[in-house]
Amino acid sequence: MGGAESVTMFDWPTPEPIKIVRRYLAAMNARDAEQIEALLDERIRYVDSRGEWIEGRENVATATRRFFDLEPDYKLHDMKIVMHEGDVLLKGHASAREERLAHDTLWRARTRRGKLVHWQSYGEDSPALARILMPEAVRGGEAN
């Protein structure tokens, strides 16, 4: 069992959904709105920590650009990523100028055919981002 052909029991290939989520995280940290849009499914649903959501690639891409304008220092750090029953679960830290965005957070993502179809945040005391970023398209949550 030597050489380049040997495989240890921990050399599992990374599942495709995790690869897509990692590309999304890298694009967020690079503030690459075009790459983010390219990763979004036509029917993406972005759900904020208050349970309000925005649907559709165009709406989520617009909200992302607005978010970058509002929060120039947002970054995602120390991400722990696992698969669970088809979902990609993430735990990490968000840093930002806005104090209510800078904290440890949980996220849940789903992908389909190489695209992100669902992204949900579970941050405590986070602002109503969907409502702030896309008031014309927000749905659900406590306010509706």
Side-chain angles (χ1 to χ4, degrees):
M1 278 198 64
E5 295 176 12
S6 69
V7 176
T8 69
M9 76 175 161
F10 298 111
D11 284 341
W12 296 303
T14 301
E16 188 64 20
I18 290 178
K19 290 178 184 178
I20 294 162
V21 167
R22 284 182 177 158
R23 286 196 292 266
Y24 176 78
L25 295 171
M28 282 294 292
N29 284 344
R31 304 176 63 79
D32 187 341
E34 288 181 17
Q35 177 62 27
I36 290 168
E37 187 171 359
L39 290 168
L40 302 178
D41 184 81
E42 188 64 36
R43 294 172 295 190
I44 175 78
R45 179 180 277 194
Y46 162 82
V47 185
D48 70 18
S49 61
R50 299 197 178 204
E52 295 182 328
W53 68 84
I54 301 166
E55 289 182 325
R57 178 187 298 134
E58 187 175 319
N59 286 338
V60 173
T62 297
T64 299
R65 286 180 174 88
R66 289 178 182 176
F67 181 73
F68 288 162
D69 289 342
L70 290 172
E71 180 49 67
D73 295 335
Y74 188 79
K75 299 278 186 201
L76 300 166
H77 308 277
D78 304 321
M79 301 302 282
K80 311 244 182 319
I81 303 172
V82 298
M83 289 289 303
H84 179 70
E85 296 181 4
D87 289 336
V88 180
L89 306 176
L90 302 97
K91 179 181 180 182
H93 181 78
S95 62
R97 283 187 192 176
E98 168 58 51
E99 187 176 306
R100 294 181 301 162
L101 295 173
H103 49 73
D104 291 339
T105 304
L106 302 173
W107 295 269
R108 180 170 55 107
R110 278 188 223 122
T111 67
R112 181 175 44 239
R113 293 186 298 277
K115 300 286 185 179
L116 195 63
V117 295
H118 187 92
W119 181 266
Q120 185 163 4
S121 174
Y122 295 94
E124 291 183 28
D125 299 324
S126 292
L129 281 178
R131 184 163 301 282
I132 292 167
L133 299 172
M134 285 293 290
E136 65 274 25
V138 72
R139 298 181 190 163
E142 301 167 355
N144 288 342

